[in-house]
Structures are given as C-alpha cells and as structure tokens.
Amino acid sequence: MTQNKDIHFEMRGHVAVVRLTRGAKRNALSDALILAIRDVFDNLPDTARAAVIDGEGDHFCAGLDLSELKERDAGQGLHHSRMWHAALERVQQGPVPVIASLHGAVVGGGLELASACHIRVADATTFYALPEGSRGIFVGGGGAVRIPRLIGAARMTDMMLTGRVYRAEEGERAGFAQYLVPAGQSFDKAFELAERVAQNAPLTNYALMHALPRIAEQPADQGFFTEALMAAIAQSAPEAKDRVRAFLEGRAAKVNAG
Ligand code: 1HE
C-alpha cells in the first residue's frame, strides 16, 4: 500500500477506517492523495466488511488541491480527470460499502469523493458547494455523473452557476446526506452504521453496491430481469438460508421501528 503522510488507515474489527490527515490544507486532494485513496481501497484486507472515510480537522475536504492546478493541455486534463475516476470508482465499486463521515466543507472534489460513498452522515457544521463554477473550471472527479443522482441536475446546475452553498439541514433535505447528526458526532454515527453494515451477508452488500446502481440505470424490462438474477443468486447462498431459518425459529431480530 502507498505510504502517504496525508492518509491514515486502520482496521477496527471488521471496519476499515480511512482518514484524510491533511487538515492544515483542509484535506485538499493532491494527485498523491487521490492515488493513495485508490491504493487503500485496492488493498483492503480480506477481513474488511465495511469502511468509513473521514477527514482530520474542521473540514471533511476542500476538493482539488488548487496549488497543483497548472496549465494542462487537453490530453493531460483528460488523463488527470480519468485518474480521479479510477480512484473514486475503487471507492464506489470496491469490495465493501463505504460510509462518509462529513463535517465542515464538503466542496468541489470533496463532494465528488463523498458522492462515491454509499452512505453519507453529515454533522451540523457540514456545508456543500461546487466552487468549480466560480474558479472557471468544471467537475472532473465523477461529480457530473454522481451528484445529479443525489440531488438532481437542476440543483447541481444552480450550485455551479451561482456558487450556492447548502448548509447541513437543507443539504440533508436536498439529498446530499442520508443522516444528519449534531456537531462532532458524524464519525461515531458513521462507525456505528459501518459495524451494522459489516454484519450483513457479503452477497447482500455486494448486490447493493454492484447490482442496484446498474439496475437503477436500466430500462424497466431489463432492470426486472437483472433484479431477478441477483435475487436468485443472493437467496441461494447458504448464509441467506441460515438467516431466514434463524428468523423463522425466533432466533433473529424482528424489524424494529425504534
Ligand atoms: C487549499 C485548498 C485547496 C484550502 N487547494 N489549498 N476547492 C475550493 O475552491 C475550496 C477552496 N478552499 C476554501 O474555500 C476554504 O479553504 C475552506 C472553506 C475549505 C476552508 O476555509 P478555512 O478558512 O478554514 O481555511 P483556509 O485559511 O482557506 O485554508 C487553510 C489552508 O489550506 C491555506 O493554506 P496556507 O498555506 O495559507 O495555510 C489554503 O490555501 C489551503 N487550502 N483549500 C489547495 N482546495 C477533480 S476536479 C475537482 C475540482 C475541484 O475540487 S475545484 C474546488 C477546489
């Protein structure tokens, strides 16, 4: 795994904890840090069943490291963007579900990173923006694909055209995050969720990460068929049979409205 002082990785039980440790630069994503993220998710230990990603300091991530934004010709710009795509695809389509613990700035490429995760937990200090619009550039880390799926193309267009910033509460309503917790609690909530996710049958988690996003993009007829294939595979796993039997024999938790 790439050694990089700007990222910290540790296993806590079955949960991989990945922390951006470049707080002095608001966890701005240098090329080296993007490659380190790719490496971490490429090399998760077999024992990992879920992951949490968070950022050191007051901000989750200030996006692209602007000090590295130099004159690139079109070809270099293309390769740079594709490098981000490759790294964030390892987050989204890697071996385990990833839960983002958000606080402070979740902006530009930081929002693109958060969008590649499967669950986003925001605390009350979180804010979302796409400053690319005012910096004369465009999203290049998969944001044009992933962000409209969270909040819709109209909201993303408005953010980039006008520099609009979404605060935590309206951000949750808009669809950026699935959970909103008091200030300072996003990591604990994200970790709690990760421990829960880690207990699922691996094939269920796999289906949610790899089949559901594809099915959601398919025409209905193909989607129904893909769903049927995935359902058949998942239910044939011994673990699924054990879990259903446990419920029928009164040994498994009921659904609890809390
Ligand atoms: C940075 C970066 C960065 C901070 N690249 N160095 N992203 C942006 O346009 C967001 C730019 N950042 C900000 O608006 C603010 O820094 C924050 C709102 C995130 C935080 O404000 P604050 O007052 O807490 O911190 P600061 O004083 O602005 O920054 C602290 C240091 O971090 C300072 O460096 P220092 O050496 O003077 O201490 C900043 O220069 C540095 N810093 N953000 C480089 N982004 C694949 S395409 C994706 C395209 C994009 O992501 S574009 C959006 C880029």
Side-chain angles (χ1 to χ4, degrees), residues 2-68:
T2 301
Q3 294 300 313
N4 187 308
K5 64 178 173 26
D6 295 333
I7 199 162
H8 178 79
F9 171 81
E10 70 181 64
M11 289 299 297
R12 292 196 199 170
H14 288 294
V15 177
V17 176
V18 179
R19 176 163 292 147
L20 308 179
T21 54
R22 206 183 175 210
K25 295 289 181 186
R26 309 310 186 243
N27 298 314
L29 296 166
S30 61
D31 288 0
L33 188 45
I34 284 292
L35 292 174
I37 291 171
R38 188 196 66 188
D39 276 9
V40 164
F41 285 93
D42 256 346
N43 293 291
L44 287 181
D46 290 344
T47 52
R49 295 276 175 271
V52 171
I53 184 162
D54 84 339
E56 173 192 274
D58 290 342
H59 300 282
F60 172 70
C61 179
L64 176 73
D65 185 331
L66 292 170
S67 70
E68 289 186 353

